[in-house]
């Protein structure tokens, strides 16, 4: 006799989405493609896409593989994670939420901007770059 399948479907939680954003941000910061990360874990790039979108949950063993491949401790993926059931403080006007920042870092542009900025070793040049970007923001 066939067993009835469990009709409960688990949808992605805000924590699943956060972990996916952190995976994407770190992968992009290191300049890895989804395929390259997938190869290290022995899975397909489509599975990486599902993890990064928060569609699929990342199990403990897989999270350990990602932490090793991305050179971070497993706790990295939970840093700044929303706490379920607790109210989050809203950012003040003009401020970005941590989620917004992590989401931006997960883009190619965000990773390229951070990589390029961090390559500038002279503080005065960094300050000049920030001032220049501040003037552009108003236009």
């Amino acid at each position: 006799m066939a067993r009835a399948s469990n009709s409960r479907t688990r949808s992605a939680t805000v924590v699943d989405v956060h972990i996916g954003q952190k995976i994407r941000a770190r992968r992009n910061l290191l300049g890895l493609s989804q395929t390259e990360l997938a190869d290290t874990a022995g899975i397909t790039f489509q599975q990486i896409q599902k993890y990064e979108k928060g569609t699929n949950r990342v199990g403990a063993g897989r999270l350990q593989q990602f932490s090793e491949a991305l050179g971070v401790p497993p706790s990295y993926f939970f840093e700044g994670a929303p706490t379920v059931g607790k109210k989050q403080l809203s950012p003040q006007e003009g401020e970005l939420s941590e989620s917004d920042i992590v989401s931006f870092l997960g883009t190619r542009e965000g990773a390229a901007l951070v990589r390029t900025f961090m390559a500038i070793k002279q503080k005065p040049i960094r300050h000049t770059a920030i001032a220049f970007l501040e003037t552009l923001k108003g236009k």
Side-chain angles (χ1 to χ4, degrees), residues 44-106:
T44 65
F45 78 90
Q46 291 94 337
Q47 186 62 41
I48 297 293
Q49 289 175 333
K50 291 177 184 180
Y51 287 142
E52 289 184 354
K53 289 179 184 175
T55 306
N56 286 6
R57 293 180 171 197
V58 182
R62 184 76 67 214
L63 197 63
Q64 180 66 35
Q65 285 180 314
F66 289 154
S67 72
E68 290 170 5
L70 298 172
V72 293
S75 61
Y76 161 84
F77 300 106
F78 296 96
E79 291 170 2
T83 53
V84 179
K86 291 187 180 179
K87 186 173 177 155
Q88 296 292 313
L89 294 176
S90 299
Q92 299 295 319
E93 187 175 330
E95 292 181 353
L96 295 172
S97 70
E98 188 166 343
S99 175
D100 291 335
I101 293 168
V102 169
S103 183
F104 174 69
L105 289 175

Side-chain angles (χ1 to χ4, degrees), residues 1-10:
M1 174 177 244
R3 296 172 77 189
S5 66
N6 188 350
S7 62
R8 287 188 325 184
T9 58
R10 295 162 91 182

